[in-house]
Amino acid sequence: MSRRPGNPSRRLVDGGSLPFVGTIHSKTRSSPLLTIGLVVGAMLLVGFCYRQAGGSRNNLEAVSRVEGSTSCTVEVQRAIPILKKAYGDSMHKVLHVGPDTCSVVSKLLKEEDTEAWGVEPYDLDDVGASCKSLVRKGIVRAADIKFPLPYRAKSFSLVIVSDALDYLSPRYLNRTLPELARVSIDGVVIFAGYPGRQKAKDSELPKFGRPAKLRSSSWWIRYFVQTSLDENEAVVKKFDQAATKRSYRPACQVFHLKSYS
């Protein structure tokens, strides 16, 4: 499954996205200047959306916001420098769990002194060549996260999960979240969506099995207490300090949990 944001420029020049474009174009096929003008106008509109999304920041962030939704998997990639400041050596051996995990793993592997693995909760049928390479090497695998993860206890220094827990009912969260803590040494980082923000398109719902259940921060905090998972206050402080220094504002909720002792 691929959940990467689409190309905004392609959507903006498509007659289905801007109904009046198709009408004008059909009546003036003999006017190349009008066609060129429409294309240039669409490009300028994309550029404006990009600047509104942060301009000099990561391209992925801009595309995500143009699409009208927030991908927390994209947000993980943006947050890697902040996470490295907050966790230090704990970023040495990382497991990412979530859709499009190949993109996160690929970026982590480019970081100095960082090993990374990934678990794709849904399927790996529709992936590119680079992702297939990671699968062949055993770095990325597909696994149903509602069941025990195929790793020994404390296999990874840090576990990061995104765009996955939002689709689990409390019944399965009770199984999955303790599993994430079990296989980690120094903690679990959760990237969860904010209530009111779109998470999955209708065409993707069959793969997820259910719409996303976007929960408030107070809901999550109560849940952590009920499941005996403590927030790592020291890391929270470091993360916030690093984020402030870099003018980073996460588009998703970020929680830092301690591993089981």
Side-chain angles (χ1 to χ4, degrees):
M1 182 196 72
S2 176
R3 298 185 58 226
R4 297 183 179 86
N7 188 328
S9 62
R10 182 168 56 194
R11 293 180 68 247
L12 287 168
V13 298
D14 183 2
S17 299
L18 296 176
F20 66 89
V21 173
T23 303
I24 295 174
H25 186 66
S26 64
K27 294 181 180 179
T28 59
R29 292 182 182 275
S30 61
S31 175
L33 291 177
L34 178 58
T35 302
I36 294 172
L38 290 171
V39 173
V40 171
M43 292 175 65
L44 290 173
L45 181 57
V46 172
F48 172 77
C49 293
Y50 176 81
R51 287 192 299 272
Q52 291 297 103
S56 62
R57 293 183 180 179
N58 195 306
N59 243 354
L60 294 172
E61 175 195 6
V63 172
S64 176
R65 293 188 179 181
V66 168
E67 285 295 312
S69 63
T70 300
S71 165
C72 290
T73 295
V74 169
E75 196 64 25
V76 171
Q77 297 178 59
R78 289 184 59 225
I80 287 176
I82 313 300
L83 291 169
K84 291 191 74 173
K85 287 289 186 182
Y87 284 92
D89 292 340
S90 295
M91 288 286 288
H92 173 67
K93 194 173 184 180
V94 180
L95 173 68
H96 174 261
V97 178
D100 199 19
T101 190
C102 286
S103 63
V104 176
V105 170
S106 297
K107 185 147 188 174
L108 284 168
L109 290 174
K110 294 177 182 178
E111 297 292 323
E112 187 176 358
D113 297 326
T114 300
E115 299 177 76
W117 288 262
V119 170
E120 168 63 59
Y122 304 108
D123 64 65
L124 285 165
D125 296 333
D126 185 21
V127 297
S130 61
C131 187
K132 289 179 180 178
S133 175
L134 293 173
V135 174
R136 285 195 301 269
K137 295 174 182 177
I139 296 174
V140 169
R141 64 172 70 189
D144 191 337
I145 61 173
K146 296 190 295 293
F147 300 96
L149 295 173
Y151 302 107
R152 296 178 179 177
K154 301 188 182 300
S155 294
F156 306 96
S157 55
L158 190 67
V159 173
I160 303 172
V161 57
S162 61
D163 286 331
L165 301 185
D166 291 331
Y167 293 93
L168 297 181
S169 65
R171 172 189 174 189
Y172 289 116
L173 272 176
N174 290 339
R175 301 178 185 179
T176 301
L177 202 47
E179 269 295 288
L180 299 176
R182 179 186 68 83
V183 301
S184 67
I185 298 172
D186 296 324
V188 178
V189 186
I190 298 173
F191 284 75
Y194 281 105
R197 296 189 183 182
Q198 178 186 355
K199 295 300 294 180
K201 300 175 183 177
D202 291 341
S203 61
E204 293 176 331
L205 290 180
K207 296 182 179 181
F208 295 121
R210 56 178 285 140
K213 180 68 173 178
L214 303 182
R215 295 139 173 142
S216 65
S217 60
S218 59
W219 187 96
W220 280 110
I221 292 170
R222 287 196 303 271
Y223 181 78
F224 299 149
V225 172
Q226 293 169 6
T227 52
S228 301
L229 287 165
D230 298 324
E231 287 194 86
N232 192 328
E233 298 295 341
V235 169
V236 169
K237 184 176 180 180
K238 291 179 181 179
F239 185 89
D240 289 345
Q241 289 175 342
T244 300
K245 188 174 182 179
R246 290 174 173 259
S247 300
Y248 167 74
R249 296 181 63 185
C252 297
Q253 300 182 85
V254 185
F255 301 100
H256 307 269
L257 304 180
K258 294 180 180 178
S259 300
Y260 289 133
S261 56

